[in-house]
C-alpha cells in the first residue's frame, strides 16, 4: 500500500502541524508493507503473559498506573524507597504541545508491607516541566528539570520536598530536545557525580557542590561496573564505555580520536524481537526491517545497566542488560576484559533475554535494586518518538494502528530467580562501622550506597576500619577497592595506604592507587612502571604526563619506549601532553632505537599530530627539529613527518585539504635539511605535503600574510567584556580553550561558523542552532540553546571575542550590527538549522545545461 502525502494529510492532518524536521521526516510517499491489527492496550496482569524470559527467571510487577505515569528513570534511597521520574508531558499528541506544561513530577514510592510491590506514592517534587533525572544524595535528591539541576530535600518527613536549591542552571535547555539533553546523574566509584550528555561532574563536600570535568557523552542512561568504569549508549549503538577516566582526557581537547574513551564495547547492533515491529521510525528503509517485519538493528537503545546484584544467578554478574524500546526487548551482553579493553557478545545468539509481544512495552531504563534484583522501567505507551525525528512513515503507522492512545500508563518491573523466594530490599544502617562492613556486600547497589553515605557523613572515625579492610587480603578485591575510594573521599588516605594498594594483587586496586596517589609519591609512581598490567600502566601514564618534572618525563619516555604500541598507555600519556608535546617527543626520541620502532613510532606520530592540529608556529618548527634528530632512524623520523602531515578529509567526497596555513618568520633550517635526507619514499611524500601548509615571507607561491586590523579603544573594551561573558556563559560547553567537548559542544577554534559571515554567528547566538552541523571534518548532532536574553552590546562583545581570540583575525562586531540581525530574525522564533543558515548547493539535474551527462 502506497500512501501519497495528500492522503496521508487526510489521515493524520497537515504534516506541517507535527513540526516535522524536513531533514529527518523521510519520504512523503509512504509504503506500509506490514498491515497488522491495532494492538489492544493491556493491563499489567495481561502484559505479564506476553513476556518471554529464559528458564530460571521470572518477572514481577513492582508499580503501575495509576500509582505512576510515564516513568523514564528510577533511583533508590538508602532505605529502599524508589524515586520515579514521571515525564507526563512527553508526546501526549503528535504536535507535542504539552511539553512546556508543569505536569511532570518525581514520585517517592514505598513498599509498606515488604512484599516487593510498591503500595504508597507521594509527590516528592511536583509541577515540573519535563523532568528527566533523579538521584538520592545527602539526605535529599538531585532532580533535573531543564535547565536546572535542583537539590531537593524533605525536612518534614512526609515524603514531599519542601526545600529546593539550584545546583546548576545549565543541565539542558528549557523546551530543548528531550532525546539530547543531560540526564542520569550517577555517583561513581571516584566519589564524583557524572551525568550522560553533560560535560561537568560534581563532588559533594561539606554541603557544597564542587564542579569538575564531566562525561559529555551518552544519550540516555549511565551506569558503572564494579571497577567504576562508566557505561552509556546511543540510540543505534548498544553499549559504550570509558576505559580510562574522562577527566584525564578533558585535559587535552585535541585528543579527539582516542579509543580509550567513548569505546564501542558491542560491535554487533542486531536485535531479535519476538514479534513484527513495523512501527519504527525508519521502517521505510529496506535495511531497517527484516522480511518478517522485525527490527534488524537497534534504533532506540537507552538506559543500560551492568548487573551487580546478588538475586540473579551468579553468571549474570557483570553482564550488561540493554533495553531497546522500539522492539520491546531487553538484550543481555556478556562482558569480557583483556588488558583493560572491554568487549561484549550476545549471551543468546539471535535471541534476547527479555521480549514482549505487547507493542506498548517500552523498556527505557534498567537498574540494580537494593534487593539485588534487576529492575525494568517501562514507559508503557505506543508513541515514544519525538516530533523532531518523526517520519511520515511512522506517523502513518501510528494512525493506522491506533498507537497514540491510551496515555497515562507506566510500569516498573523486576526480574528475579524463578527457583527462590522474592528477595527483600536492604535498608542501610546509620552506624558508620556497620556501613564499612557493607562495602564487602555481594550487592553492588549496597556497596555503592554505603560508600556514598560514608563519604557524605565525613566521619574520620571510620578511617581505621576502612584501612583494615583495605589491608585485608582475604576480603573481596571489590571491597578493598571501595575502601580505598572511601578513604580518598574522606581525605583520609595516607602514603602507606597507597603503597600498600600499589602492591595489591588485584589490578583494579593497583590502578586506583595510581589515581589516588598524591604528587609527593612520585618515586613510588615511577617505580610502578614495571607493573605487568597494561591497565595499571595506562593510569600511570596519565599521572606521569601531568607532572612537569624531568624525572617524570624520563620515566614516561621509558614506559612508552616499551609499551607505546598499546593504545591505552599511549593515549593516557597523550592526555596530559598538551603544551608539552615537543618535550615529550624529544624524550621519546632519545629512547628510540631501531629495535623499539613498533613502540616509539606510534607515540612520535601521535605527538606530532597533536602539534599539527594545534597549528602553532613555534611547536611545529620544534617538532621538525625532532624529526631531524631522528634522521639516522628513518622509520621514526617518518613517523614524526606523518604526524605533522595532517589534513581535513571530507567523509563524502574523500578529498583532503590542508589545515590552516602556519606562518613562520623564515624557512626553518630543519625543513631544508630534511629535504636533503628524505629523498624518497613516504618520508618525502609527507614532507612535501606538510611543507605546502607552511608560509613565510619570500616563499614562492605563498599567500599574502593575514592582515589584522588593530582594535579601536571601543573594540578592545568590547573584546574584554566578551571574554568575561564567554567565560561564565559559553566556556562550560565550548571550554576556555575553545576546542569544545565531545558530546557537548563543537570547537570554535578555526571554525568557519565563527570566522565566516558575522550575521550567521549572530543568528546562532540569538536563536540557537539545532540538529546536525558540520564543523571542520566532523558532523555534530547537538543543540545549542538560544542566548537571546543577552542585549545587543553583550552579543557583540561575545562575537568580537570569539572572532579574535585563539589567533583568530576576523572582524569585530558592534551592537548596531547585532540589532539589525535581531530584527531580521524576529519572524524566526525557533532554533536555526545548518541548512537554513547555509543552504546546501543544489546540483543541476542530469543533462542540464552546463553539466556533463553520461
Amino acid at each position: 500500500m502506497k500512501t501519497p502525502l495528500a492522503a496521508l494529510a487526510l489521515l493524520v492532518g497537515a504534516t506541517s502541524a507535527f513540526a516535522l524536521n524536513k531533514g529527518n521526516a523521510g519520504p512523503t510517499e509512504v509504503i506500509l508493507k506490514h498491515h497488522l491489527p491495532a494492538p489492544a492496550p493491556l493491563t499489567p496482569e495481561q502484559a505479564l503473559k506476553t513476556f518471554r524470559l529464559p528458564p530460571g527467571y521470572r518477572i514481577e510487577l513492582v508499580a503501575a498506573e495509576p500509582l505512576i505515569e510515564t516513568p523514564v528513570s528510577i533511583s533508590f534511597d538508602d532505605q529502599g524507597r524508589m524515586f520515579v521520574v514521571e515525564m507526563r508531558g512527553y508526546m501526549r499528541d503528535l504536535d507535542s504541545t504539552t511539553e512546556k506544561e508543569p505536569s511532570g513530577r518525581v514520585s517517592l514510592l514505598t513498599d509498606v508491607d515488604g512484599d516487593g510491590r510498591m503500595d504508597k506514592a507521594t509527590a516528592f517534587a511536583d509541577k515540573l516541566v519535563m523532568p528527566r533525572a533523579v538521584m538520592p544524595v545527602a539526605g535529599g535528591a538531585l532532580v533535573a528539570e531543564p535547565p536546572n539541576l535542583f537539590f531537593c530535600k524533605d525536612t518534614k518527613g512526609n515524603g514531599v520536598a519542601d526545600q529546593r536549591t539550584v545546583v546548576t542552571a545549565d543541565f539542558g535547555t528549557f523546551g530543548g530536545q528531550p532525546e539530547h539533553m543531560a540526564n542520569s546523574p550517577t555517583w561513581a566509584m571516584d566519589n564524583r557525580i557524572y551525568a550522560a550528555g553533560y560535560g561537568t561532574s560534581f563532588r559533594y563536600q561539606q554541603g557544597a557542590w564542587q564542579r569538575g570535568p564531566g562525561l559529555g557523552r551518552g544519550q540516555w542512561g549511565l551506569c558503572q561496573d564494579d571497577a567504576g568504569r562508566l557505561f552509556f549508549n546511543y540510540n543505534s549503538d548498544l553499549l559504550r564505555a570509558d576505559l580510562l577516566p574522562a577527566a584525564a582526557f578533558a585535559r587535552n581537547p585535541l585528543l579527539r580520536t582516542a579509543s580509550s574513551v567513548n569505546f564501542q564495547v558491542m560491535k554487533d547492533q542486531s536485535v531479535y524481537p519476538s514479534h513484527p515491529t513495523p512501527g519504527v521510525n525508519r521502517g521505510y528503509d529496506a535495511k531497517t526491517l527484516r522480511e518478517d517485519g522485525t527490527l534488524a538493528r537497534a534504533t532506540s537503545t537507552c538506559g543500560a545497566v551492568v548487573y551487580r546484584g546478588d538475586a540473579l544467578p551468579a553468571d549474570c554478574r557483570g553482564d550488561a542488560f540493554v533495553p531497546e524500546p522500539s522492539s520491546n526487548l531487553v538484550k543481555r551482553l556478556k562482558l569480557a576484559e583483556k588488558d583493560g579493553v572491554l568487549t561484549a557478545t550476545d549471551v543468546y545468539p539471535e535471541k534476547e533475554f527479555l521480549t514482549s509481544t505487547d507493542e506498548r512495552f517500552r523498556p527505557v531504563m534498567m537498574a540494580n535494586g537494593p534487593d539485588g534484583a534487576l529492575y525494568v522501567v517501562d514507559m508503557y505507551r505506543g508513541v515514544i518518538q519525538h516530533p523532531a525525528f518523526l517520519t511520515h512513515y511512522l506517523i502513518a503507522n501510528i494512525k493506522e494502528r491506533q498507537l497514540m492512545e491510551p496515555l497515562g500508563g507506566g510500569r516498573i518491573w523486576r526480574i528475579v530467580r524463578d527457583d527462590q523466594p522474592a528477595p527483600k530490599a536492604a535498608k542501610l544502617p546509620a552506624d558508620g562501622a556497620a556501613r564499612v562492613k557493607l562495602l564487602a556486600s555481594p550487592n553492588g547497589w549496597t556497596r555503592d550506597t554505603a560508600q556514598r553515605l560514608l563519604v557524605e557523613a565525613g566521619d574520620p572515625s571510620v578511617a581505621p576500619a576502612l584501612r583494615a579492610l583495605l589491608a585485608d587480603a582475604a576480603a573481596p578485591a571489590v571491597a578493598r577497592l571501595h575502601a580505598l575510594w572511601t578513604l580518598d573521599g574522606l581525605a583520609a588516605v595516607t602514603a602507606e595506604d597507597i603503597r600498600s594498594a600499589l602492591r595489591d594483587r588485584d589490578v583494579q586496586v593497583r590502578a586506583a592507587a595510581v589515581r589516588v596517589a598524591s604528587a609527593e609519591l612520585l618515586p613510588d609512581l615511577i617505580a610502578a612502571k614495571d607493573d605487568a598490567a597494561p591497565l595499571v600502566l595506562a593510569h600511570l601514564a596519565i599521572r606521569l604526563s601531568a607532572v612537569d618534572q624531568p624525572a617524570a618525563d624520563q620515566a614516561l619516555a621509558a614506559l612508552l619506549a616499551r609499551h607505546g604500541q598499546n593504545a591505552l598507555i599511549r593515549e593516557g600519556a597523550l592526555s596530559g601532553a598538551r603544551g608539552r608535546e615537543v618535550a615529550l617527543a624529544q624524550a621519546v626520541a632519545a629512547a628510540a632505537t631501531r629495535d623499539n620502532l613498533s613502540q616509539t613510532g606510534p607515540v612520535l606520530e601521535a605527538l606530532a599530530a597533536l602539534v599539527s592540529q594545534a597549528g602553532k608556529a613555534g611547536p611545529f618548527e620544534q617538532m621538525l627539529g625532532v624529526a631531524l634528530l631522528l634522521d639516522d632512524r628513518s622509520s621514526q623520523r617518518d613517523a614524526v613527518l606523518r604526524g605533522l602531515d595532517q589534513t581535513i578529509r571530507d567523509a563524502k567526497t574523500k578529498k583532503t585539504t590542508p589545515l590552516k596555513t602556519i606562518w613562520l618568520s623564515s624557512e626553518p633550517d630543519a625543513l631544508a635539511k630534511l629535504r636533503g635526507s628524505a629523498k624518497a619514499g613516504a618520508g618525502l611524500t609527507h614532507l612535501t605535503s606538510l611543507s605546502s601548509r607552511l608560509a613565510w615571507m619570500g616563499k614562492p607561491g605563498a599567500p599574502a600574510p593575514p592582515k589584522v586590523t588593530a582594535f579601536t579603544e571601543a573594540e578592545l573594551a568590547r573584546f574584554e567584556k566578551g571574554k568575561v561573558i564567554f567565560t561564565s556563559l559559553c566556556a562550560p560547553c565550548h571550554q576556555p580553550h575553545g576546542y569544545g567537548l565531545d558530546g557537548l559542544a563543537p570547537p570554535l577554534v578555526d571554525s568557519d561558523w565563527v570566522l565566516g559571515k558575522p550575521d550567521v554567528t549572530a543568528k546562532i547566538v540569538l536563536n540557537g542552532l539545532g540538529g546536525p552541523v558540520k564543523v571542520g571534518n566532523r558532523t555534530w548532532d547537538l543543540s545549542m540553546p538560544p542566548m537571546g536574553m543577552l542585549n545587543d552590546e553583550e552579543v557583540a562583545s561575545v562575537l568580537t571575542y570569539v572572532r579574535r581570540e585563539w589567533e583568530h583575525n576576523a572582524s569585530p562586531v558592534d551592537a548596531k550590527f547585532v540589532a539589525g540581525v535581531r530584527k531580521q530574525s524576529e519572524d524566526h522564533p525557533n532554533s536555526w538549522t545548518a541548512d537554513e543558515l547555509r543552504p546546501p548547493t543544489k546540483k543541476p539535474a542530469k543533462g542540464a545545461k552546463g553539466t556533463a551527462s553520461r
Side-chain angles (χ1 to χ4, degrees), residues 530-566:
D530 296 322
D531 197 297
L535 182 64
V536 176
L537 297 179
H539 284 281
L540 181 61
I542 290 171
R543 291 302 310 276
L544 291 178
S545 67
V547 181
D548 191 6
Q549 292 186 23
D553 284 351
Q554 291 172 9
L556 184 57
L559 176 63
L560 292 171
R562 294 200 306 269
H563 303 286
Q565 196 173 30
N566 183 290

Side-chain angles (χ1 to χ4, degrees), residues 74 183-189 192 194-197 215 217-233 238-243 265 302-308 318-323 335 342 365-368 374 448:
I74 63 172
N183 62 87
S184 306
T186 301
W187 183 295
M189 182 80 78
R192 301 202 69 88
Y194 298 91
L215 189 66
R217 284 181 285 282
Q219 189 164 345
W220 183 271
L222 183 66
C223 68
Q224 67 175 343
D225 65 2
D226 279 350
R229 288 172 294 211
L230 296 174
F231 291 76
F232 43 90
N233 52 27
L238 287 164
L239 194 65
R240 288 188 175 246
D242 279 355
L243 305 179
V265 181
C302 53
V305 73
V306 175
Y307 179 68
R308 302 169 61 215
D319 289 359
F321 291 83
V322 187
L335 299 184
L342 296 166
M365 179 190 180
M366 309 296 291
N368 290 297
L374 180 64
D448 291 350

Side-chain angles (χ1 to χ4, degrees), residues 321-612:
F321 291 83
V322 187
E324 214 296 342
S326 287
S327 46
N328 321 115
L329 61 82
V330 175
K331 180 177 282 289
R332 179 183 171 190
L333 304 177
K334 179 66 67 177
L335 299 184
E337 179 178 354
K338 182 179 180 182
D339 296 337
V341 178
L342 296 166
T343 55
T345 54
D346 266 314
V347 174
Y348 311 100
E350 299 190 9
K351 294 181 181 179
E352 302 296 357
F353 174 70
L354 171 66
T355 63
S356 172
T357 54
D358 181 2
E359 200 162 349
R360 288 178 173 81
F361 171 59
R362 304 295 193 183
V364 294
M365 179 190 180
M366 309 296 291
N368 290 297
D371 53 2
L374 180 64
Y375 282 74
V376 186
V377 179
D378 174 9
M379 215 170 170
Y380 203 78
R381 53 177 22 239
V383 178
I384 56 174
Q385 184 66 68
H386 195 262
F389 301 99
L390 271 175
T391 61
H392 298 293
Y393 169 88
L394 182 54
I395 292 172
N397 268 280
I398 290 169
K399 286 295 181 179
E400 181 181 85
R401 307 190 53 239
Q402 303 171 30
L403 292 172
M404 194 68 234
E405 295 179 346
L407 301 169
R411 289 99 191 250
I412 310 294
W413 309 91
R414 71 170 177 177
I415 299 172
V416 297
R417 292 180 65 147
D418 198 26
D419 60 350
Q420 294 182 359
K424 302 294 183 182
K427 295 184 178 182
L428 271 65
D431 177 62
R435 289 174 175 174
V436 171
K437 292 180 180 179
L438 289 176
L439 296 178
S441 168
N443 185 357
W445 178 90
T446 301
R447 295 194 305 272
D448 291 350
T449 307
Q451 176 179 323
R452 174 176 65 82
L453 294 174
L454 287 164
V455 172
E456 287 174 357
D459 181 7
S461 69
V462 300
L466 290 167
R467 199 160 285 120
L469 179 58
L470 175 62
D472 185 358
V478 71
R480 301 197 300 276
L481 184 62
H482 276 283
L484 178 58
W485 279 114
T486 307
L487 283 166
D488 181 64
L490 293 170
V493 69
T494 65
E496 191 49 46
D497 294 334
I498 298 300
R499 293 188 179 104
S500 173
L502 286 171
R503 298 189 297 268
D504 197 283
R505 67 178 183 273
D506 184 76
V507 170
Q508 297 295 347
V509 175
R510 298 200 305 276
V514 171
R515 293 179 63 185
V516 171
S518 63
E520 289 74 19
L521 291 174
L522 180 60
D524 299 274
L525 290 174
I526 290 175
K529 72 180 186 301
D530 296 322
D531 197 297
L535 182 64
V536 176
L537 297 179
H539 284 281
L540 181 61
I542 290 171
R543 291 302 310 276
L544 291 178
S545 67
V547 181
D548 191 6
Q549 292 186 23
D553 284 351
Q554 291 172 9
L556 184 57
L559 176 63
L560 292 171
R562 294 200 306 269
H563 303 286
Q565 196 173 30
N566 183 290
L568 295 189
I569 298 171
R570 182 176 66 251
E571 291 171 1
L574 296 175
S575 71
R578 185 167 178 256
R580 300 175 52 243
E581 296 93 347
V582 174
L584 186 54
Q586 290 170 340
V588 173
T593 67
R594 288 181 175 84
D595 294 332
N596 62 19
L597 167 63
S598 63
Q599 306 297 338
T600 55
V603 178
L604 291 166
E605 180 180 347
L607 288 166
L610 291 175
V611 168
S612 179

